[in-house]
Amino acid sequence: MIKYDISDRLTDVVKHLPCSFQKFRDVESIIKIVDIDGRAQVRDFSEDIERMLGSKMKSVKKLVSDIYTANLLNFQSHLMNLNATLPPTSCFFLLQFDYYNSMLVNTMDDDGNFIELGGEFPLEENEHFNNIPVNTMQSDVQVPTNVYNKDPYILNGIYMSEALNDVFANNFKKDPTLTWQYFGSSSGFFRIYPGIKWTPDSNGVAAFDCRNRNWYIQAATSPKDIIIVVDISGSMKGLKMTIAKHTINTILDTLGENDFVNVIAYTDYVRYVEPCFQGTLVQADLDNREHFKVLVDDLHVKGEGKVAKAMKESFKILNEVSTKGQGSLCNQAIMLITDGAMEDFKDVFEEFNWPDRRVRLFTYLIGREMTFADNTKWIACNNKGYYTHISTLADVQENVMEYLHVLSRPMVINHNHDIIWTEAYMDSVLFATKAQSLLLMTSVAMPVFSKKKETLSHGILLGVVGSDIPLLEVMKLAPRYRLGPHGYAFLITNNGYILAHPDLRPLYKDGKKLKPKPNYNSVDLAEVEWEDIDETLRTAMVKGETGTLSLNVRASVDKAKRPMFLTNDYFYTTINDTPFSFGMVLTRGHGQLMFMGTVSVEEGLHDLTSPDLSIAAEWTYCETDIDPHHRKYSQLQAVIRYLQGKEPDLECDEVLLQQTLFDAVVTAPLEAYWQAIMLNASGNLISLNFLFQRKFLTPADKDNLFTMDHFPLWYRLAMENPAGRFLYYMPVEDNDNKDKTGTVGLPCDPWLSSIPSLVTHLFILLSSLQVGRFFGEVDGSVMTALITSGMFKQVSLYDYQGMCRSGHSHSSGARPLLSVRCVCVCISLKQTKITLMLTLSSLAHKAKKVDALQPCDTEYPGFVYDSSIRETNSLIKCGRCQKMFVVQAVPESNLVLMVVQADCDCSRQYSSITLEPKEVKYNASVKCNRMKSQKVRRRPNSCHAYHPKVSPLPSSLCNIELITVIDYRVNIAGMLKLK
């Protein structure tokens, strides 16, 4: 057997590391190990989050309260100033005034004059608002391109909402952690604070319409069960069918995770566009909505249209899901899309819907012909619905949105100001900046409606006010340093979807760009905590329970390349007055302990101000966002000024500061010691540049830094390494980023020139082969033998957030390559561990463009080393030759020495073994059941689906525009009476 004793050579690199820990041993007597009380900690964190979210709700309530005052007083003041008179028959009064249009501000004409509605609007970059230029003194107004910016209803609404400027500013002054505040009007304009310069899309238009946003829709309506019934008879051919499909897609876009839906097409028979969903409703999450859109796009016209059967089927479905306690158990509606309804439906309505009319009928007459307009209108008006005529594609958006205002009428009449919270989202339309700055956030919103007695029964919605809360700021209230290297905190919604979780990956790489995944905000907790097979954790959290649970988990680290086996303790509770639940994970062992040491402030400050010291920039040591005066400080500057007594008003984490000062003191000798090693090192010693290689410490290299989301991988791996054993960590080669030119060598090649091959848990550290590659890709024959011998065991891992190439069975290999190779050592000290990292070299690669991808589930292999097998060897028969190999574990390290005979090619007999994930293919029945299954969910607390005062309107008034005209007429007439 061939043996290579390399222990002495490895020791040359790391022999000084134990000496670096001498300072820790010197202060061991003052070190205290504290047990973490998970139950108490999850309670404290959740209460902090509850207080934070409560303050945002208070700001929104203040906006609602003041907008009612503005609705009365501003309008009255304007009319008095104009000394206006208004005939009783007038429908509206056209206000004449200018406002700041966010698309036009600071825009000049060719003569150097500001264009109309585009006056001078001072803007300054503000770090609190993602470095976007803003005006914190006042708001401005965005109007969608498809809405006339001088429409009388728009001008009236903008003028009445002017008073919100002071409320916005005062809210921000009282709570400087607030971000965007806004008012979305039912007429289409969007007032936003702080004011911004709106960035149009690539076509130069403002496609953003606040009424399409989830926060607006959820606040304006209660949850709903919707059945869309579309006519696909022969008369619907051509443009009519195109308009009908666009109408269906627009309706689908108004639905959310609290809603349920199905789509039925009809000719002379009833056809479910998805046969799997026959006779039921499915949750209107993003996956199902997009699935419906694909199926609708494939609809073709034929035959004769007879809608009665489709109407009966729709009523039966709605009645059945309600009886079984399924669906939303709130609003129910049927959307009829047709170019004409010739049949008499009175018998159908008498059997299924009259006299209570609890199912609303909304009718959309498609095409230019008006022959059947009266009959189509009669259907809607006699079932508490709404009728509209859509003759062009441009009419679709505005007309579809009106049904939301009809559904809001019971809530408005009841004067219920329900507060809603949205699922996580990235507002890429509003923040047209770099993809990296797209923050996941949630919105809190409340409806605003007319309180006038004259129009009470019409239930007129004025709009919705709201505010955004970055989820990163929420999760800072559960600091990562309190949870250990493998611990983390997370938030989910009442539907079990992830709001915040370190394993949530909302972006994917498309070439050099990062883009949001299509289903990034409908990732279920069971898809991230996939070891929760029985969904015990998910069920308890969705139900809003408080408790604990333990699970043995396979953690996937290093871009899903390395498996790690842990035992996690889960602690969870609900966040009161929200639909959210909070969870926290502590890992058995070191994750249940906290390392505490005490030093004087003076001693700590001396070492903390060392120019070679850096702290985790994303960690919150002191709250610099509360007082605007403090925002100019970095975290290190804030800490120093607080400890020096120069900023006593700063709110700082005393426990974290105590730990930071202690660490600064005990690690202070390392810098001088390492520098001496560099100066006195022999030619064979690799430079130890943990503190000196500034490139390593740049924020761009987040995989190797302590960030808000994670402890670095080298630290996590070392914590699981046996105490006293050196961990050699090798970055994984990226398949799309391979260097095609040949061998990639280390600067230390001469130092290990006599070693044929070094492998760190199957990733190549040094050889004539390419560094960083998975060994199974290089030699499938030896890898197979290692698995057969038991030296390595293959385990299955799963990713339910994968992105697969269309038409292929594997997901993209476009993963960023870690840029640092390192040596780590973990020592044991009073039941806990301390980890030190030394960088050896860095390697950069260029990104390769990735083809279009689509969401999928994937399964991929992981390989685990059996440390009980220290060495093995074998002969592999490959046709006319035999390949000999020898494998030996390197003492006191995670390295494996491998010597392989190179002149025997076994590639024909043994294929390579890769780490590439494979798409999980589901058969039709399994896929159907997954899509239509209704997991445990917690319904919203309130529902406003019915009110006895909401009576059917006569056909002459059966549309929202006329109701709105009545409101303006009564409003202005009332103002004149007050005058």
Side-chain angles (χ1 to χ4, degrees), residues 516-532:
K517 293 179 181 177
N519 58 345
Y520 72 89
N521 59 359
S522 59
V523 177
D524 195 273
L525 178 63
E527 296 174 335
V528 177
E529 301 291 345
W530 50 272
E531 295 280 13
D532 182 25

Side-chain angles (χ1 to χ4, degrees), residues 627-638:
D627 186 342
H629 173 70
H630 295 150
R631 288 180 182 147
K632 61 184 177 182
Y633 299 134
S634 68
Q635 281 295 308
L636 182 58
Q637 290 171 335

Side-chain angles (χ1 to χ4, degrees), residues 600-743:
S600 68
V601 173
E602 292 75 16
E603 186 182 11
L605 267 174
H606 175 270
D607 294 318
L608 195 64
T609 54
S610 167
D612 292 304
L613 184 144
S614 296
I615 62 175
E618 291 191 8
W619 286 18
T620 303
Y621 298 80
C622 295
E623 287 288 352
T624 57
D625 217 21
I626 296 177
D627 186 342
H629 173 70
H630 295 150
R631 288 180 182 147
K632 61 184 177 182
Y633 299 134
S634 68
Q635 281 295 308
L636 182 58
Q637 290 171 335
V639 167
I640 293 173
R641 292 185 67 84
Y642 174 76
L643 294 173
Q644 290 174 339
K646 296 179 180 179
E647 295 288 354
D649 294 334
L650 273 167
E651 292 186 12
C652 298
D653 188 327
E654 297 290 347
V655 175
L656 181 56
L657 290 187
Q658 179 184 349
Q659 292 179 318
T660 303
L661 291 178
F662 177 80
D663 288 347
V665 170
V666 298
T667 59
L670 297 181
E671 188 270 337
Y673 187 70
W674 286 343
Q675 189 173 35
I677 292 175
M678 289 181 62
L679 295 174
N680 300 323
S682 64
N684 287 335
L685 187 61
I686 300 174
S687 150
L688 306 179
N689 52 5
F690 176 63
L691 291 176
F692 310 110
Q693 188 180 348
R694 283 298 180 183
K695 182 179 179 181
F696 164 69
L697 293 174
T698 60
D701 202 0
K702 285 192 174 183
D703 281 317
N704 294 287
L705 296 174
F706 292 84
T707 71
M708 182 67 190
D709 292 325
H710 73 283
F711 279 72
L713 179 62
W714 56 267
Y715 191 93
R716 296 181 65 185
L717 291 175
M719 292 302 291
E720 294 307 307
N721 209 42
R725 191 178 76 168
F726 294 108
L727 171 76
Y728 292 81
Y729 164 55
M730 173 52 55
V732 177
E733 177 62 273
D734 189 326
N735 283 347
D736 280 1
N737 293 334
K738 290 177 182 176
D739 186 344
K740 307 296 183 182
T741 60
T743 301

Side-chain angles (χ1 to χ4, degrees), residues 502-515:
D503 290 335
L504 177 66
R505 305 192 310 276
L507 301 174
Y508 74 99
K509 199 169 184 180
D510 184 11
K512 294 183 178 180
K513 295 182 179 179
L514 290 175
K515 294 183 177 180

Side-chain angles (χ1 to χ4, degrees), residues 829-885:
L829 189 63
K830 266 198 172 181
Q831 299 177 327
T832 191
K833 296 181 179 180
I834 304 168
T835 301
L836 177 69
M837 171 181 167
L838 302 174
T839 64
L840 299 182
S841 62
S842 61
L843 180 66
H845 292 271
K846 294 183 179 180
K848 181 180 177 181
K849 186 176 180 180
V850 182
D851 295 332
L853 303 170
Q854 61 185 14
C856 63
D857 296 346
T858 60
E859 178 183 5
Y860 56 97
F863 295 89
V864 182
Y865 172 61
D866 184 351
S867 58
S868 66
I869 302 178
R870 304 299 297 169
E871 60 182 54
T872 187
N873 63 88
S874 183
L875 286 173
I876 304 173
K877 295 182 179 180
C878 301
R880 297 180 179 179
C881 67
Q882 296 185 103
K883 176 182 290 188
M884 180 180 69
F885 72 89

